[in-house]
Amino acid sequence: MDIDDTPVLDNHLHLDPVNGRNVAAAEEFASQGGTHLLVLNKPSWHLVEKGTDEAIFREVFDLTVEAAAAASEVLDGRAWPVLGVHPALISKLVDGGYTPPEARDIMQAGLDVAAEYVDNSDALAMKSGRPHYDVDDVVWEASNEVMCHGFERAADVGCAIQLHTEGGEDFEAVAGWAEDRGLDRTQVVKHYSGGQLRGPVKSVLADKDELEIAVETDEPFLMETDYIDDPDRPGAVLGPKTVPRRVRWLLENGHEDAVRTAHVETPKAVYGIDTEATLER
């Protein structure tokens, strides 16, 4: 199999229509054989003026929906927006004078708006999570409440949710919290995952060592770059060419089944998208 014979999906990439390369990054992805993108909104404070009302979230989400639509124009497949509230917002809010419960309420309201976009078919899925850095117990508790609210809203509108969390391999408890709120664990995706994970579906950062582990475990997985489209950090976290290059590497090493798992079967199972039917070479 050649890369031209398969869809190639980056499950977690950012496009910044305000400060970044935006569509040029999608063109770079496509130039290497990339066909499909899930475009995550950047943290709200990177795109718009500071604020905490619903209009701020709508402005950020609208920018991301527009960026995904523009990316679709340069792809042989298409791009879908994934919308939500970055978990680090709680620290921004608390540092700005809000109590953790007040910050929780603001973030949950943002997730309500994201769910509305999904319900209106303007976005494919949601994102939430909890801080990947140390916080005090009250902030941690509030963050878990935000994440669980995300599970509830994703279940309400029938979509998957991507999680930004701390590192680690055991997220059984988190997957259980989602199921307690009506969302199957197969609709919960841990972004920036290693090749080994318990609980949610893993979205493996496109690192060769971690991909080898994911292939060996023979479980559903996705691939991502977490490209952040920041002119001050070009190529961070990984550049937009990386997923197609890793797909080519997997194919060269005889891992056609793993490529199909990550770019056809798992996207269909998690998000309900058909990367083959939406592909026009």
Side-chain angles (χ1 to χ4, degrees), residues 33 175 191:
H191 127 76

PDB file of all heavy atoms in Angstrom, residues 33 175 191:
ATOM      1  N   GLY A  33       0.651  14.312   1.695  1.00  0.00           N
ATOM      2  CA  GLY A  33      -0.299  13.216   1.603  1.00  0.00           C
ATOM      3  C   GLY A  33      -1.387  13.240   2.645  1.00  0.00           C
ATOM      4  O   GLY A  33      -2.228  12.340   2.688  1.00  0.00           O
ATOM      5  N   ALA A 175     -12.670   7.372  32.335  1.00  0.00           N
ATOM      6  CA  ALA A 175     -13.602   6.709  31.411  1.00  0.00           C
ATOM      7  C   ALA A 175     -14.870   6.286  32.146  1.00  0.00           C
ATOM      8  O   ALA A 175     -15.979   6.363  31.597  1.00  0.00           O
ATOM      9  CB  ALA A 175     -12.929   5.503  30.767  1.00  0.00           C
ATOM     10  N   HIS A 191      -6.194  13.062  24.113  1.00  0.00           N
ATOM     11  CA  HIS A 191      -5.239  13.690  23.196  1.00  0.00           C
ATOM     12  C   HIS A 191      -3.856  13.692  23.849  1.00  0.00           C
ATOM     13  O   HIS A 191      -3.703  13.593  25.050  1.00  0.00           O
ATOM     14  CB  HIS A 191      -5.767  15.090  22.846  1.00  0.00           C
ATOM     15  CG  HIS A 191      -4.836  16.224  23.059  1.00  0.00           C
ATOM     16  ND1 HIS A 191      -3.787  16.505  22.216  1.00  0.00           N
ATOM     17  CD2 HIS A 191      -4.802  17.182  24.019  1.00  0.00           C
ATOM     18  CE1 HIS A 191      -3.155  17.589  22.623  1.00  0.00           C
ATOM     19  NE2 HIS A 191      -3.742  18.007  23.716  1.00  0.00           N
TER      20      HIS A 191
END
